[in-house]
Amino acid sequence: MSSACKLAAGNWKMNGLRADLDQARALAEAYPTPGCGVLLCPPATLIAPMAAAVAGSALMVGGQDCHAQDAGAHTGDISAQMLVDAGARHVILGHSERRADHGESSATVGAKARAAHRAGLVTIICVGETEAERDAGRTLDVVLGQLRESVPEGATAANTVIAYEPVWAIGTGRTPTLDQIAEVHDALRAAVPDGAMSLLYGGSVKPGNAAEIFAIGNVDGALVGGASLKADDFGTIIAALEAA
Ligand code: PGA
C-alpha cells in the first residue's frame, strides 16, 4: 500500500439486470463511509439506474468503455459525456477483453482516455501481459509499453488510475505470485507520469486472497470481476482494503 488513494473497483462486464441492483444497494448500505473508494462499473444499461439506486451514498458508479469522439455517427457506441450524463464518474479503458474482442490498440485507448478526461471522467487504464508474453520474459516490456502508449498527456493522479491485469489471471482463478505482482507494480510506480497515481491489481481477486495482495507495497486496490457481482464477496474485499 502506498500513499495513493485506495480504490476497490468492481467490473460487472456483460453481467447484470435490474434485479441485480439489489447488490449495489446492499453494498451502499453496508459501507456508508468506506475507508477507501468503492466503485461499481455495471453494463451501460445499468449505469443510470444504479446511480439512482445508490444516490446519496459513498458508492460510485462507472462505465466499462467509451468512444474516442465526443458525439457522432457511431452506432452502438457510447460517449464519455453520455456516461457522465448517466451518473458515471469513472470509466474503465483498455481492458484486455476490449483489446482482444474489439482489437483496441494502446493508441485507441489513449484517444478514448483523452475523450474521457475532456468529459471530466476518471479513467482506469488497464495494462497486462498474456501468458505467452510472460513465458517469453517480456512482462515488463509489454506492460510499460502499454502504459506509455495508453496514458495520455495531462494524466494525473486526480484523473487517472492504472490497473495491472495479467490476461492469464482474468477469470481463471490463477494469480501471479505476490513477488510477481510486486515487481510489476514497482515498475509501474517508477514509470507513471504522476507518482501519486493509484495502482490497482486485477485478475482473480477473491475474498480469500485480497488481504495478501493489498499488503504489497505499491498495490493501492483492486479491479475485481467475478467477485464484484455479489455484495458479500465484494464487501469482504472492500473490508480487506480498508484494513490494509
Ligand atoms: P476477474 O476479472 O476478477 O473475474 O478475474 C478481473 C477483470 O477482468 O477486471
Side-chain angles (χ1 to χ4, degrees), residues 11 13 95 97 165 169-172 202-206 223-226:
N11 173 11
K13 308 191 179 185
H95 190 282
E97 288 153 16
E165 298 205 307
I170 294 174
T172 60
S204 296
V205 175
K206 307 281 179 217
L223 181 54
V224 183

Side-chain angles (χ1 to χ4, degrees), residues 184-226:
V184 175
H185 277 246
D186 289 351
L188 286 171
R189 178 69 67 210
V192 284
D194 178 342
M197 269 181 195
S198 300
L199 305 180
L200 312 183
Y201 169 77
S204 296
V205 175
K206 307 281 179 217
N209 63 13
E212 61 183 15
I213 292 171
F214 296 149
I216 298 171
N218 277 314
V219 173
D220 305 306
L223 181 54
V224 183

Side-chain angles (χ1 to χ4, degrees), residues 110-124:
K112 291 181 171 201
R114 278 188 282 277
H117 290 163
R118 278 197 298 278
L121 288 167
V122 176
T123 53
I124 299 176

Side-chain angles (χ1 to χ4, degrees), residues 126-167:
C126 303
V127 297
E129 82 286 0
T130 63
E131 186 155 36
E133 288 164 342
R134 176 165 283 278
D135 290 346
R138 297 188 51 231
T139 298
L140 291 183
D141 267 6
V142 168
V143 165
L144 296 179
Q146 289 176 340
L147 182 81
R148 206 167 37 243
E149 293 169 28
S150 308
V151 175
E153 64 288 346
T156 66
N159 66 15
T160 305
V161 172
I162 305 299
Y164 167 54
E165 298 205 307
V167 177

Side-chain angles (χ1 to χ4, degrees), residues 85-104:
D85 190 46
R89 291 169 56 177
H90 294 68
V91 63
I92 299 169
L93 293 174
H95 190 282
S96 62
E97 288 153 16
R98 301 236 22 122
R99 291 179 189 261
D101 295 356
H102 300 273
E104 286 189 10

